[in-house]
Amino acid sequence: MLPDTAVQALEPDGRPEVLVLRALKLGDLLVAVPALRGLRRALPDHRILYAAQSWLEPIVGLTGAVDALLPTHGLDEPLALRPGRVDVAVNLHGNGAESRGRLEALEAARRIGHQAPGWPGPEWEDGVHERYRWAHLVSAHGIEADPLDYLLLRPPVESPAPGAVVIHVGAAYGSRLWPVKRFADVARSLSDAGHLVLLTGSTGERPRAEAVAQAAGLPDEQVVAGRLGLLEFAALISSAALVISADTGAAHLASAYARPSVVLFGPAPVAEWGPPPGPHRVLTDESVRRGDTFAAYPDPAILAVGPDDVLRAAAELGIRN
């Protein structure tokens, strides 16, 4: 059940409504920005609701395309809107029976999704980039979207450390966790070269960040994992000299603000999740990629990357070391 404040924020305001389902994480939101922008331009008189995890709300506002977030933690529960209220239901979550079923229950006048029983639309394509997938989907429904229209609005807060080198040491799954010692070797080299290095991650990842700091000889105040709100984190990334991260939300934020980044890929294919053109370097060895996203241990593709590889890529981006 939604909190009273969330219910009040989601009360109809007289405009016809669009409900976009993508009940996933930060990177998933950021690759959907081009599709959301297309919807905003094509339906200027509609109120656009985005169904996703509630903690994403600060970033949802930075897309410039969404009016309100409908807290939705996965597909286990029905969407908290009465049938018939929504004018347009958009499936940016996937094309499975669960996501379609949650949207079908809304009894929207129009459905936007991939081809399926009761859903006119383009065929699902395997092996395409996520930004392209969702921009192509809405375009196929007559809503023009540019896959390269992905930049976020600037956060309404100041960066806690403009010009810092941000090393994001965490990841949602063990398959994307680059070893602590390798992060520490990179952090030490960049710090010795005169850069302010900040270690980021979630509250749960703070012990990992502290272990990197200890191994690198960095002081505790340079460990900001678990100490920044999402908007502060976005502001930090938006002004960073360099972002070093596995394929996580931090890397997608670096793309969203066109900040130089070195992205370490493990189980995910670069062709589907890699950064857009720009000051970004991808490091991986896809010839040994196992591809098990939910594995407890790092994918061989990310383990094939060494500290020297990261420092070399950083130098190519103009970061001395």
Side-chain angles (χ1 to χ4, degrees), residues 184-206:
D185 289 346
V186 170
R188 184 187 306 108
S189 293
L190 292 172
S191 181
D192 288 348
H195 301 285
L196 172 62
V197 176
L198 296 186
L199 303 176
T200 61
S202 67
T203 300
E205 292 160 349
R206 185 170 178 83

Side-chain angles (χ1 to χ4, degrees), residues 109-128:
R110 181 183 181 188
R111 297 175 184 173
I112 294 176
H114 287 92
Q115 188 175 84
W119 289 77
E123 294 275 358
W124 180 274
E125 294 181 71
D126 290 323
V128 301

Side-chain angles (χ1 to χ4, degrees), residues 263-281:
V263 188
L264 315 178
F265 266 76
V270 176
E272 297 178 27
W273 288 96
H280 313 296
R281 297 290 184 273

Side-chain angles (χ1 to χ4, degrees), residues 54-79:
S54 57
W55 64 273
L56 289 171
E57 187 167 14
I59 302 299
V60 167
L62 299 180
T63 67
V66 175
D67 296 299
L69 183 137
L70 176 70
T72 306
H73 297 271
L75 302 177
D76 292 339
E77 298 292 332
L79 295 166

